[in-house]
Amino acid sequence: MDQEPEWIESVGTDGRPVLSAKGSWTIDAVSVLDSRIKATHLNGTKQAELDLSGITRLDTAGAWLLYRTRRDFADDGIDARLAGLDPHYAPLLDLVEQADKAHPEIERERPGVLVEFVSRVGKSVCEAAEEGLNLLNFLGLTIITMLRVIVRPRRMRIVSLVNQIEQTGLNAMGIVGLLLFLIGVVLAFQSAEQLRKFAAEIFTADGLAILVLREIGVLIAAILIAGRSGSAFTAEIGMMKVNEEVDALRTTGVDPIEVLVLPRINALLLTLPLLTFFANVAALTGGTIMAVATLDVTYTQFVRQLADAMTLKNFIVGMVKAPVFAFLIGLVGCYEGLQVGGSAESIGRLTTKSVVESIVLVIIADATFSIVFAYLGI
Amino acid sequence: MDTDVVIKVRGLRTQFGTQVIHDNLDLDIRRGQVVGVVGGSGTGKSVLLRTILGLNRPREGDIEVLGEDARQALDTVQRRTGVLFQNGALFSSLTVAENIQVPMREHLDLSRSLMDELAALKIGMVGLPPDAGPKFPSELSGGMRKRAGLARALSLDPEILFLDEPTAGLDPIGAAAFDNLIAELQKGLGLTVFMVTHDLDSLSAICDSIAVLVDKRVRLGTMAEHMQDAHPWIQSYFHGPRARAALDNRL
C-alpha cells in the first residue's frame, strides 16, 4: 500500500540540480533515506530545488529528514527551494521546524574515558564523605532525642517498641537458630579435620567455644538482622516518607525520630543481645552434635572441655559487641529510610544501600573491637 | 464503507469477578477525531482504554483498531498507536532521550545518530528544554514527565494517541499549555486522540466529541448534544458549576 521511498538527483531545465523525494517518507524508511541523503553532495551551485510533489506519505521522521537536508544545504550556502509539497503536510513541516528552532544545537559532548573515570571516583568519594557526615549528624539527633525521652519516660512509645521487639527479635529466632546451628556444625567439622592431624581433636571444643562466643555468634546474628530488620526499617520508613506520612507527623507536632526511629533502635538494642545469646547456644549445640558424631570423644568429655573454654570473659567479649552492632544497624536502617524522597523508586535503591552500609559498618566495628581487645590483652 | 473508523468496539463486555464494568458497549471513533472519555469514578474509563490497547481481556465483544482485530494483531496495534499513561510511566533507569528511543529500538533499525536526532526532535516538539534529553525521569517535574511521556508516545509517529488523564496533577496554566500542545500536535500530525479526562477545560477546549460512560455503555456526542441529554448523571456533569465555568471561559 505504501510506495517505495525514493530520493533522486537530476538536473532541471534551467541547469539547477533538482532533488526529488518520492513515495512514503515515514519512520520505516528513514534509515535508508538517511544514508542516501548523506551521500548527496551538491558542488559548485548556489541554488537547488527540492521537488516534493511525489511524496505520498509523510510523518515527523520524514519531515525531519527533509527539513534537515534543507538546513544543511543552507549551511553550505545552497539555497534549496521546496516545491510541490502537498499542502496537507505543511503544518507538519512547520512543527518540525519549530521544534528544531527551539533546540539550536544537539549537544553530544562526551568526556574522555579517563576524565569520566576520575570524575566518577571523585564524585563517589565526595558522596561517601557527605553520607558519613550526614550519618554522624543523624547519630547526634538520635542521641539527643533518646536523652530527652529518658528524662521524660512518658514519651516512650511502648506499643510500637513491643511490636518492633516482636518483629525484630521473636520472629527472627527461627532463622537465626537454624543458621547458627548449621554454622556450628561446619565449624566443628572443619576444625576437627585439621586438629586430627595433630591428634588434638579434643581441642575442637576450645576452638569452637572461643570462635563462637567471641566472634561468630554475634557477627552472624548481626548480619542476619541487618539483612532482615535493617532493610525492613528502610522500606517501612521510606514508604511512609513517600506517602508523606512523615510530613504529616511533623505537622501534627509529633517528632518522627521519637515515634519511628527510637522504637526501632531501642527494640534492636534489646533483641540483638538476646538473639546473640540464642545464636551462641544454637552454634555450640550444632558444633557439639557434629563433634560427638564424628570424633572419637564421648559426649561428657567434649562438654567438659567445652565448659572449660567457655569462660565468662569470652562470653562477655562477644556480648559487649551486640548493642553496638544493634545501634549501627538501627541507625543506618532508619537514616536511609528517611532519605527516601519523592518517588517510590528510591526505596529499592536505599534499602539495598542500607543493608550494604550496615553490614560494612558492623564488620568495621568488629575489627575495631578486635584491635582494641588485643591492645588491652583481653 | 467506514474505512476511516479507526477504533471500532462492538458488544464489549468487561467484567472483574462478578462486577460488570461494561455491558454491550459500542463505540466508533473516526480518523482525526479528538475524543474525550468521561464518566464517574469506577465507570471504567481507564479500563476501556486498557481494553482497547489489549492490556485487559474483554469477556465478550470485538475490538478493531485501525481495521485489525486488537487481540490478534497486537503488534500492529502497538506499532501504530502511542500511549501516555497517567504519570508518564517513563522507564526510570533510562534517560528521557533513551525512553523516547525505546520504541524505535524495538520496532526499527535506525542508526544511533538518526535516533538521537529524532529524539531531540520529539523533545522539541513536546516543548521540553533541550537539556531534558540526558536527564533521568526522577529529575523532572510532574509536568515535564508528562511531556516526556508524550514524546515517547509520539516516538513512532502513531496514528492514534491514547491519553490517560493527561492534565491530572498539573496546575491550570500547565494543563492549558498541555491542552494546546495536544491540539497543535493533533493538527500537525493528523492524529486521532482518545483521551480519558476529567478536566472540563480540556474537554471544551480540544475535544470535538465526548464519550460519556453511563449505565455500562458509551454515549458519544458533542458537548452541545450532551447538554440536551436527560440522563441525570450527564445532566449534573454538564450543568454543574464547574462545567458552566469551563463553558463560559470558552465563549
Side-chain angles (χ1 to χ4, degrees):
Chain A
M1 161 177 110
D2 288 352
Q3 282 179 27
E4 273 300 299
E6 285 184 83
W7 175 250
I8 302 165
E9 288 178 63
S10 58
V11 179
T13 46
D14 51 356
R16 281 185 312 179
V18 175
L19 299 160
S20 316
K22 289 192 165 58
S24 160
W25 279 52
T26 58
I27 194 160
D28 299 294
V30 290
S31 198
V32 182
L33 288 169
D34 184 44
S35 51
R36 295 249 279 277
I37 290 171
K38 287 211 167 123
T40 305
H41 295 290
L42 299 179
N43 293 322
T45 178
K46 288 282 160 225
Q47 302 244 304
E49 188 172 306
L50 283 175
D51 176 18
L52 310 179
S53 56
I55 286 185
T56 52
R57 269 187 69 196
L58 190 66
D59 68 1
T60 50
W64 164 252
L65 285 190
L66 290 176
Y67 168 77
R68 193 193 65 189
T69 310
R70 192 169 173 225
R71 192 193 62 188
D72 291 349
F73 280 160
D75 288 347
D76 295 341
I78 303 168
D79 178 33
R81 243 169 24 95
L82 294 184
L85 181 69
D86 189 337
H88 177 63
Y89 290 125
L92 189 60
L93 221 53
D94 289 345
L95 207 66
V96 168
E97 187 171 345
Q98 277 167 27
D100 186 60
K101 291 265 163 68
H103 287 201
E105 280 293 308
I106 303 166
E107 282 174 42
R108 288 199 54 77
E109 216 178 295
R110 281 240 174 103
V113 180
L114 191 68
V115 175
E116 198 163 340
F117 174 74
V118 171
S119 75
R120 196 180 288 179
V121 169
K123 205 171 160 191
S124 47
V125 168
C126 287
E127 273 171 9
E130 203 184 322
E131 180 90 5
L133 220 64
N134 286 340
L135 203 58
L136 210 62
N137 209 344
F138 187 70
L139 170 73
L141 184 64
T142 309
I143 288 177
I144 287 171
T145 317
M146 225 174 222
L147 292 177
R148 214 169 45 216
V149 171
I150 289 173
V151 175
R152 301 170 67 187
R154 279 186 48 217
R155 304 195 71 138
M156 196 118 99
R157 314 282 159 159
I158 298 294
V159 177
S160 69
L161 179 69
V162 172
N163 183 21
Q164 288 298 332
I165 288 176
E166 184 191 344
Q167 282 181 24
T168 60
L170 204 60
N171 295 350
M173 283 180 75
I175 187 88
V176 169
L178 177 68
L179 280 182
L180 267 298
F181 180 85
L182 293 177
I183 285 175
V185 167
V186 173
L187 278 180
F189 181 71
Q190 291 296 338
S191 45
E193 280 287 290
Q194 299 305 316
L195 291 169
R196 197 194 307 249
K197 293 175 190 161
F198 308 102
E201 292 134 304
I202 191 66
F203 291 109
T204 302
D206 296 71
L208 186 70
I210 291 169
L211 213 55
V212 166
L213 290 186
R214 291 182 73 120
E215 293 290 340
I216 300 293
V218 64
L219 196 61
I220 302 287
I223 288 174
L224 279 174
I225 291 304
R228 199 181 167 280
S229 303
S231 60
F233 291 176
T234 310
E236 285 161 8
I237 296 178
M239 204 57 228
M240 294 184 73
K241 198 81 198 293
V242 168
N243 285 339
E244 295 181 306
E245 288 171 58
V246 175
D247 297 331
L249 281 176
R250 274 211 185 95
T251 52
T252 42
V254 182
D255 182 3
I257 306 282
E258 201 177 294
V259 296
L260 297 178
V261 176
L262 283 194
R264 288 184 165 81
I265 293 183
N266 287 339
L268 276 193
L269 283 175
L270 288 172
T271 54
L272 193 57
L274 295 175
L275 278 176
T276 302
F277 183 80
F278 178 63
N280 289 344
V281 173
L284 292 174
T285 311
T288 307
I289 289 175
M290 188 65 189
V292 173
T294 56
L295 296 175
D296 291 332
V297 287
T298 62
Y299 174 76
T300 2
Q301 271 177 311
F302 190 85
V303 170
R304 188 177 304 135
Q305 188 73 21
L306 197 64
D308 285 345
M310 284 181 355
T311 59
L312 187 65
K313 190 181 81 181
N314 284 340
F315 174 69
I316 287 175
V317 163
M319 289 305 273
V320 158
K321 300 175 188 175
V324 176
F325 292 175
F327 197 78
L328 288 174
I329 295 167
L331 196 73
V332 171
C334 295
Y335 169 76
E336 295 297 350
L338 287 170
Q339 292 306 299
V340 169
S343 62
E345 293 144 22
S346 51
I347 295 181
R349 194 169 47 84
L350 286 168
T351 305
T352 315
K353 200 170 155 196
S354 138
V355 174
V356 173
E357 249 170 40
S358 50
I359 291 178
V360 167
L361 285 180
V362 161
I363 291 177
I364 290 177
D366 193 45
T368 316
F369 270 118
S370 294
I371 295 168
V372 171
F373 288 149
Y375 261 107
L376 298 178
I378 299 173
Chain B
M1 266 286 276
D2 44 358
T3 45
D4 62 340
V5 172
V6 288
I7 299 177
K8 186 165 144 189
V9 180
R10 286 289 175 272
L12 177 72
R13 182 186 173 91
T14 27
Q15 201 172 341
F16 294 120
T18 55
Q19 195 192 357
V20 179
I21 313 281
H22 307 127
D23 194 13
N24 201 16
L25 179 150
D26 295 344
L27 178 68
D28 280 317
I29 293 176
R30 260 185 275 284
R31 189 175 290 278
Q33 267 189 322
V34 181
V35 179
V37 181
V38 300
S41 300
T43 51
K45 301 179 294 287
S46 297
V47 174
L48 179 61
L49 183 140
R50 292 172 61 86
T51 310
I52 293 174
L53 287 170
L55 295 172
N56 273 346
R57 232 161 215 296
R59 192 56 69 91
E60 272 170 38
D62 297 310
I63 299 167
E64 270 182 30
V65 179
L66 297 160
E68 314 242 18
D69 188 321
R71 272 168 297 177
Q72 264 142 45
L74 209 57
D75 267 7
T76 331
V77 173
Q78 285 165 352
R79 167 75 181 72
R80 292 165 67 187
T81 58
V83 192
L84 169 61
F85 288 97
Q86 218 180 96
N87 295 311
L90 293 169
F91 305 121
S92 50
S93 56
L94 304 178
T95 64
V96 170
E98 284 166 348
N99 260 286
I100 298 170
Q101 290 166 355
V102 167
M104 299 183 198
R105 277 178 211 280
E106 187 62 33
H107 291 282
L108 301 165
D109 181 25
L110 300 180
S111 70
R112 168 100 229 170
S113 62
L114 195 57
M115 283 205 293
D116 286 341
E117 284 173 21
L118 289 176
L121 174 71
K122 305 287 165 172
I123 288 170
M125 271 168 57
V126 297
L128 283 173
D131 61 355
K135 280 190 181 157
F136 283 95
S138 54
E139 299 170 83
L140 301 179
S141 70
M144 287 169 83
R145 232 177 278 183
K146 287 212 167 163
R147 283 173 188 260
L150 185 63
R152 188 180 68 188
L154 293 173
S155 150
L156 291 179
D157 276 287
E159 292 163 57
I160 311 176
L161 184 61
F162 291 91
L163 306 171
D164 194 358
E165 306 249 6
T167 53
L170 299 184
D171 64 90
I173 299 168
F178 206 85
D179 283 345
N180 279 339
L181 173 67
I182 290 169
E184 204 178 299
L185 290 173
Q186 191 270 330
K187 278 198 205 82
L189 307 177
L191 294 169
T192 308
V193 180
F194 181 97
M195 173 163 85
V196 172
T197 188
H198 259 307
D199 191 332
L200 282 151
D201 290 310
S202 335
L203 280 178
S204 69
I206 61 171
C207 295
D208 30 55
S209 182
I210 297 170
V212 186
L213 270 164
V214 281
D215 304 332
K216 304 184 171 78
R217 313 272 295 263
V218 157
R219 293 194 193 184
L220 195 67
T222 61
M223 189 82 129
E225 283 163 17
H226 284 304
M227 305 284 283
Q228 312 294 323
D229 201 310
H231 190 282
W233 192 86
I234 299 179
Q235 274 286 318
S236 58
Y237 189 85
F238 287 100
H239 290 277
R242 284 158 160 266
R244 226 168 271 144
L247 284 173
D248 285 350
N249 283 343
R250 206 175 176 203
L251 301 172

